[in-house]
Amino acid sequence: MDHFLDYRHHLIDSEKMKQQSVDIRLKKRKRLIVGIVLLGVLWGILFLLSEFTRFRIDLTEEKRYSLHPSTKAVLEAIEEPLEVDILLSGKLPGGMRRFQQNIEATLETFNAYSAAPITFRYFDPLGIKSKEERDEYIIYLSEFGINPTNLFATENGAQTSRLIFPGVIIRNTTHETGGLLLKGNRGMSPDQILNLSVENLEYELVNMIRKLTRKEKRAVAMITNHGELQDDQGFGIVEALSEDYEVYKVPLQQAKSVKDLLSFDVVIVAGPRDAYSEREIYLLDQYLMRGGKLLMGIDPLAVDLEKAGGEGTVAVGFETGLDRMLFNYGVRINKDLVQDMNFGYYPVVAGEFGNQSQIVPLPWPFYVVANRMSDHVIVKGFDQVMFRMVSSLDTVKATGVNKTPLIFSGQYSRKMQQPVRVAFEDMSQEPDISLFDQSNLPLAYLLEGTFSSVFENRFLPKAFEDDPDFREKSSDGALIVTGDGDWLQGLKDPSSGDPLPLGVNPDSEANFANRELLQNMLKYLVDPNGIMATRSKDLKIRPLDKKRVQAEKSTWQFINVALPVGLILVIGLVKVYLRRRKYAKRR
């Protein structure tokens, strides 16, 4: 009887356990169904929201996927679809692959904000089968500054090299433009150039799109008739600015009032040699007071290099009348010449070979190759800039004016006060490095803020005695000053005599960034909060420590691969053990 009761109780317990097991399965199934329904409802809500509004959430620390408002404005104004050819393609090493992924990600972000679709594809110029068509296309790319880069990499322990084209071509239905995306300073390591290029991707790409979609050009005035750059000497400025601006030569004597200058977005004063009258200074001053933007390259010392042979000549100061104006605004151009151990070259006749003169470029410390730039968006990550006979700058007190140094001389420099002897024969002697005991002398300044007029508390020039629009303070003017006007003058091709673009040096294979510097200065002056502001982006790419990677490779491989699998196995075994133990007790 007892056995029968035990058996019955056992059957009842077994039935209860089965019923509990069924209940548990039903609850799990119910939860699963409820979860799927909730996910479906959430997906449906998000889908409906996406139909009515678009939003992106950038969770990265550096806001990597966020665009500057000026970039969004350019993208929202696009009226027709754009196609982008990414020329950086094929099998790439880690750094270049990361750069390629950043180009792709930036274009996808652009497409998210664009009023018209932006599509892209990868296109390898070296993949063109016909040699003639391939060569022709490579020459075509060079017109946009896209020259091939020789990429060295290590594959299976062996060094390999191949040509890549780190640039893009962008087109709409009528026009096409392009540009190089991998840019940096010659003193930078490959990793630094990659990091800087990633930081500037937004600027470079939106600048190309703006060129393609722009409908109007800004107006720029070049002041003439004071010994400034004339005819071919001004070719470099016009060539550098012709894509974005209409450049006009303006004889200031013919301007009747300040209103004649206000139609120009920027006024350039490049290397004057003659004095400005009080009337002309008044016009420039009041142009600045009314929100005008000035770019001034001033030479305080005059040097006639044609007389620098033999015992040489002397550089002496001369007055343009602009020095006093600049001093009032907060910057002083010193009456000196800077020499730098990071120098350029000057071509001299070294002798005769038969009936031909032998021209040899020799080191010339008066030509300063400046490669130390500030972090300002105008010059951030900039390549070398060539100054010829440059003077140093100082700042003086000017209430309300912010003064930002842009470019400096090198680590070994010196200032030579007037009168300065300039002689080619000095090239034959090794420079005495002990004399170059100064460093980082400012060569260019940006002035912004509230300027005080030169004519504040003074009699106005006779022609403007009763000017009712005279202003003592500026609104939002800006001024860039360099201690040299020659950096705005292009050189000539020695064989043809044709003028060359700014920065092109016929005496060496190295070219300088004078052209890009002028373009950046004007972009900033015209619109300081525009696309130039995108160059302030600072991304932390965090390159790996190669020595540490090599030393800790096995440890981190174990942590990232073996440890997670091992933990899952251990947890699984423990869980099985606990379940067996639990149900074994119940039996």
Side-chain angles (χ1 to χ4, degrees), residues 185-186 338-345 364-373 383-390 407-413 443 505 508 510-514:
N185 189 304
R186 258 165 270 192
V338 174
Q339 283 196 339
D340 197 305
M341 287 302 292
N342 193 20
F343 42 70
Y345 292 82
W364 189 232
F366 285 109
Y367 285 6
V368 176
V369 179
N371 60 4
R372 184 168 185 271
M373 309 291 169
D383 206 347
Q384 298 175 339
V385 174
M386 169 71 86
F387 290 100
R388 299 194 291 269
M389 302 291 178
V390 63
I407 305 176
F408 305 87
S409 68
Q411 186 177 359
Y412 303 101
S413 311
L443 305 178
N505 188 353
S508 71
N511 294 327
F512 302 96
N514 295 39

Side-chain angles (χ1 to χ4, degrees), residues 321-334:
L322 300 175
D323 308 32
R324 178 169 51 85
M325 185 172 77
L326 294 175
F327 188 88
N328 191 77
Y329 297 153
V331 66
R332 177 176 60 203
I333 304 179
N334 298 313

Side-chain angles (χ1 to χ4, degrees), residues 557-571:
Q557 280 180 336
F558 173 77
I559 292 174
N560 286 297
V561 179
L563 187 60
V565 175
L567 282 174
I568 290 172
L569 288 174
V570 170
I571 292 170

Side-chain angles (χ1 to χ4, degrees), residues 314-325:
V314 175
V316 294
F318 61 97
E319 298 295 336
T320 60
L322 300 175
D323 308 32
R324 178 169 51 85
M325 185 172 77

Side-chain angles (χ1 to χ4, degrees), residues 305-436:
L305 287 179
E306 293 184 358
K307 298 179 180 178
E311 296 182 356
T313 184
V314 175
V316 294
F318 61 97
E319 298 295 336
T320 60
L322 300 175
D323 308 32
R324 178 169 51 85
M325 185 172 77
L326 294 175
F327 188 88
N328 191 77
Y329 297 153
V331 66
R332 177 176 60 203
I333 304 179
N334 298 313
K335 300 280 187 183
D336 59 24
L337 288 178
V338 174
Q339 283 196 339
D340 197 305
M341 287 302 292
N342 193 20
F343 42 70
Y345 292 82
Y346 189 88
V348 297
V349 178
E352 302 288 335
F353 185 79
N355 61 350
Q356 297 295 322
S357 299
Q358 295 298 297
I359 298 177
V360 179
L362 292 178
W364 189 232
F366 285 109
Y367 285 6
V368 176
V369 179
N371 60 4
R372 184 168 185 271
M373 309 291 169
S374 72
D375 291 330
H376 195 274
V377 294
I378 294 177
V379 291
K380 179 185 175 187
F382 233 61
D383 206 347
Q384 298 175 339
V385 174
M386 169 71 86
F387 290 100
R388 299 194 291 269
M389 302 291 178
V390 63
S391 299
S392 64
L393 304 178
D394 285 330
T395 56
V396 294
K397 184 178 179 181
T399 305
V401 179
N402 296 321
K403 312 167 192 86
T404 307
L406 298 176
I407 305 176
F408 305 87
S409 68
Q411 186 177 359
Y412 303 101
S413 311
R414 66 169 172 168
K415 292 191 287 188
M416 302 177 71
Q417 302 294 336
Q418 70 162 338
V420 183
R421 177 177 178 270
V422 180
F424 292 145
E425 68 175 14
D426 293 343
M427 295 181 185
S428 60
Q429 301 173 1
E430 191 77 19
D432 183 356
I433 195 169
S434 64
L435 299 175
F436 293 76

